[in-house]
Amino acid sequence: MKYKHFFQIEKKPKKGLFAAEWVILAYLVLTTLFMFFAYVKLQNPESMLWGRFRVLAIMAAMWAVYRMIPCPLTRFFRISAQMLMLSWWYPDTYELNRLLPNLDHIAAAAEQWLFGCQPSLLFSQTFPSFTVSELMNLGYTSYFPMIAVVTLFFFLFRYEQYMRASFIILASFFCYYVIFVFVPVTGPQYYYPAVGLDQIAAGVFPNLHDYFMTMREAMPTPGNPDGVFYQMVVDAHRAGERPTAAFPSSHVGISTVLMLLAWQSKNRKLFWILMVFYVLLCLSTVYIYAHYAIDVIGGWLSALLMFTLLHFGYKRFAKDK
């Protein structure tokens, strides 16, 4: 598709919501119902409701812009607006899942049973060098750039597949957010300091119940503080990290979805370039204490399932063309 076609008015513009927007709307309704049932227990219900009104307002505004100028570029802006709001939806999962009993003791016990140790506790201790630290943190910071690269690639070079690809990416995110709301696992960076490293090393994994209702103390990010990518990860955690979203790893899951889309695009150069960052990202989630190793496995398996269901579901039901 040539660039001038991005401004070409569509002959049959989509009148209603895109498939991805229906997914977001369904998630908004589901979590709002949860909020109403647990309203008196929520810490910030007014700001959560106000945030949802803003999401609806932005969705309506972008729909109106597209209806006035229905062209590929306004489609892109409409989808991109929803992708930019993913960073708002992520901490929102913490506001909901902290109302439920914490499940890290089950995740840590499963980790111990499967590996005979806690890989997240040992990984950074075994490889403390500056080079490994920076490579791991580079992998972790490549998450959002990978999303941007794959999305832009489909828009610029595989436009006929762009709506399907963006739907799969956005729908995958919200599938993970549903899991994170109802499966409250915080990950090693929060669970380990809450229990104590001596206990963890001894294989003792107590049930913390509602500990993370109010507590948000995290372990310091492992690695070399002099590294540029190390500081980027630390800054990102300070800005938006919460005791939420550990199992399965959405970093691993979404990046796996991106790799599957890159493979389907038949651009092998894109695929193999992304593969370098993908491998580093999968390793880094354990290295920096963000996830248990079983979270990574869960990310792989869930991504394959989601990609398959969303790929065929879009082909059968969506009409965004």
Side-chain angles (χ1 to χ4, degrees), residues 120-152:
S120 186
L121 189 63
L122 301 176
F123 193 1
S124 60
Q125 295 176 0
T126 306
F127 301 99
S129 72
F130 177 83
T131 301
V132 174
S133 169
E134 279 296 270
L135 284 173
M136 293 297 101
N137 285 288
L138 166 62
Y140 201 74
T141 57
S142 66
Y143 180 54
F144 286 109
M146 284 179 67
I147 297 170
V149 166
V150 172
T151 304
L152 281 170

Side-chain angles (χ1 to χ4, degrees), residues 18-75:
F18 293 150
E21 292 170 327
W22 279 113
V23 171
I24 296 167
L25 190 61
Y27 178 82
L28 186 151
V29 170
L30 174 66
T31 53
T32 302
L33 288 174
F34 187 169
M35 288 173 57
F36 285 136
F37 280 110
Y39 197 86
V40 296
K41 296 182 180 179
L42 290 170
Q43 301 292 314
N44 306 293
E46 291 82 7
S47 63
M48 293 173 69
L49 284 173
W50 175 239
R52 281 159 172 76
F53 281 122
R54 285 184 295 180
V55 169
L56 290 173
I58 291 171
M59 188 181 294
M62 298 308 297
W63 173 86
V65 170
Y66 169 77
R67 291 296 295 158
M68 287 187 290
I69 313 173
C71 67
L73 193 61
T74 52
R75 277 183 179 253

Side-chain angles (χ1 to χ4, degrees), residues 27 30-31 34 86 89-104 143 172-187 241-254 290-291 295 298-299 302 306:
Y27 178 82
L30 174 66
T31 53
F34 187 169
L86 289 171
W89 284 112
Y90 169 73
D92 186 78
T93 63
Y94 168 64
E95 298 297 333
L96 297 171
N97 74 17
R98 62 175 165 173
L99 303 179
L100 303 174
N102 175 257
L103 301 176
D104 273 82
Y143 180 54
S172 295
F173 263 104
F174 285 94
C175 286
Y176 280 116
Y177 288 167
V178 170
I179 296 172
F180 297 154
V181 168
F182 295 103
V183 184
V185 179
T186 68
E241 194 57 75
R242 301 288 190 280
T244 183
F247 181 84
S249 169
S250 59
H251 275 67
V252 172
I254 295 296
H291 290 283
D295 300 341
S302 60
M306 286 182 196

Side-chain angles (χ1 to χ4, degrees), residues 14 74 80 112 136 173 190 225 228 242 261 288 307-308 320:
K14 176 75 172 179
T74 52
S80 298
Q112 191 77 19
M136 293 297 101
F173 263 104
Y190 292 102
V228 173
R242 301 288 190 280
L261 287 170
I288 69 168
F307 182 84
T308 302
D320 289 342

